[in-house]
Amino acid sequence: MTRYIDVNDLCYLVSQKSLSTCITEMAEYIRADYLRWQDFEKCARLANHSLDGVIELMPVSDASLYAFKYVNGHPKNTLAGMLTVMAFGALGDVDTGKPVLLAEMTLTTAIRTAATSALVARYLARDNSRSMALIGNGSQSEFQALAFHAMLGINEIRLFDIDAKATAKLAANLKAFPAIKVILAGSVAEAVKGADIVTTVTADKAYATILTDDMIEPGMHLNAVGGDCPGKTELDRRIVERARVIVEYEPQSRIEGEIQHMPDNSPVTELWQVINGQQPGRENAHQVTLFDSVGFAIEDYSALRYVLDVAKALDVGSDLELVPDLADPKDLFARLAQQPRVQQKKRA
């Protein structure tokens, strides 16, 4: 049988642990897996692009588990009342190929993206960072706000989005966390001015300039989350040129990240090198640091591993006969003759 975790199961899991705990614990799973970077068979994600969006598969494996995620990105979906990003994923046993977990990954991806952002900021942001500008107040924004509050002690967050309703939604949701001071900014520049950390998480599939070079002050840490496919960026190129750039997996980031419009030899450092101490994160208090985040499959592997461990501990989810369970593994045909456990309702 395969453990199955749907949206309701994931919500129950988070309710039992608390979102802040899930973010913090998942970040440790991600850190642990980046520390064993060489154990993984890696590739850039496989993307099928359309006019208004993209559908991607994100595979990775080590000697024990194979993981993949199906995920889309369709910014116009909100106009039809649908999520911009939807996802599901699976874990398989490498020795046998048997699927051991099938899970929702829309909520899980939001948690793992925020957990990764805050984890990286521990290495790149100044130790005394307490304020963050959050540009783009859509579905990912609450998760980013809570991750930085829980993991870095950020207690002041300045909000801006060209969609005022999105900002109002975020501000209303953050009222449940009174330790966070929320400031509504009238522009990107107003939100960014004096901030220790700047997070951009916008959705448009376009070469955008959300941050201009004149907005960036010495010592800032930039967490660029929104740019995650070819033709989709958020930062003025001059910012990328002068920042210390950290990426997850360079071959993928060259295609999808802020560095897609930089020369192929522009300097970058991969995240695993920082986490294992091979390369420094922030080098001095005045340096501008940039996490050019596009999302990488190892983070999904870590997230699925975490969800499976917690689901087992809390007895969350259900068993699913995703592949046939046979008395004779050479007689697949016989499975069709067995009485179905659930019969489909006849269509009218």
Side-chain angles (χ1 to χ4, degrees), residues 26-35 112 115-116 119 299 302:
M26 191 179 290
E28 287 305 308
Y29 272 60
I30 293 168
R31 178 179 178 275
D33 286 332
Y34 269 105
L35 280 171
R112 77 88 160 128
T116 304
L119 173 66
E299 295 150 22
S302 306

Side-chain angles (χ1 to χ4, degrees), residues 268-337:
V268 300
T269 299
E270 288 189 322
L271 177 58
W272 69 274
Q273 297 173 301
V274 174
I275 289 178
N276 74 7
Q278 185 173 317
Q279 294 290 334
R282 169 172 292 276
E283 296 172 310
N284 59 69
H286 299 288
Q287 187 174 51
V288 174
T289 56
L290 167 62
F291 178 37
D292 188 2
S293 170
V294 298
F296 185 54
I298 284 179
E299 295 150 22
D300 298 315
Y301 174 102
S302 306
L304 287 166
R305 217 169 42 84
Y306 174 74
V307 167
L308 181 59
D309 285 351
V310 176
K312 287 179 177 179
L314 298 179
D315 195 22
V316 176
S318 56
D319 289 331
L320 186 70
E321 192 179 3
L322 188 61
V323 295
D325 185 10
L326 303 173
D328 178 357
K330 294 185 177 181
D331 192 1
L332 177 60
F333 186 78
R335 183 62 182 86
L336 293 174

Side-chain angles (χ1 to χ4, degrees), residues 68-204:
F68 81 85
K69 182 172 76 175
Y70 165 105
V71 62
N72 78 303
H74 288 75
K76 291 186 178 180
N77 275 4
T78 55
L79 300 176
M82 298 173 63
L83 287 164
T84 297
V85 175
M86 297 172 280
F88 67 89
L91 283 177
D93 177 71
V94 167
D95 285 341
T96 64
K98 180 182 178 180
V100 296
L101 175 68
L102 177 65
E104 83 79 39
M105 287 200 75
T106 306
L107 287 163
T108 300
T109 295
I111 296 169
R112 77 88 160 128
T113 301
T116 304
S117 292
L119 173 66
V120 176
R122 281 182 168 176
Y123 295 91
L124 298 185
R126 292 173 295 187
D127 290 339
N128 62 348
S129 296
R130 292 296 178 267
S131 63
M132 180 169 77
L134 186 46
I135 313 302
N137 301 160
S139 295
Q140 173 64 203
S141 56
E142 287 87 356
F143 297 89
Q144 291 284 329
L146 295 177
F148 277 84
H149 176 63
M151 293 179 58
L152 279 86
I154 296 298
N155 54 27
E156 178 183 293
I157 301 182
R158 299 95 169 270
L159 315 183
F160 181 76
D161 195 302
I162 57 174
D163 180 358
K165 290 182 179 179
T167 300
K169 175 270 305 180
L170 174 56
N173 286 337
L174 291 180
K175 284 182 179 179
F177 305 90
I180 301 176
K181 180 181 179 182
V182 175
I183 298 173
L184 306 184
S187 66
V188 173
E190 182 182 328
V192 169
K193 185 174 178 60
D196 298 310
I197 298 170
V198 179
T199 289
T200 55
V201 58
T202 60
D204 284 346

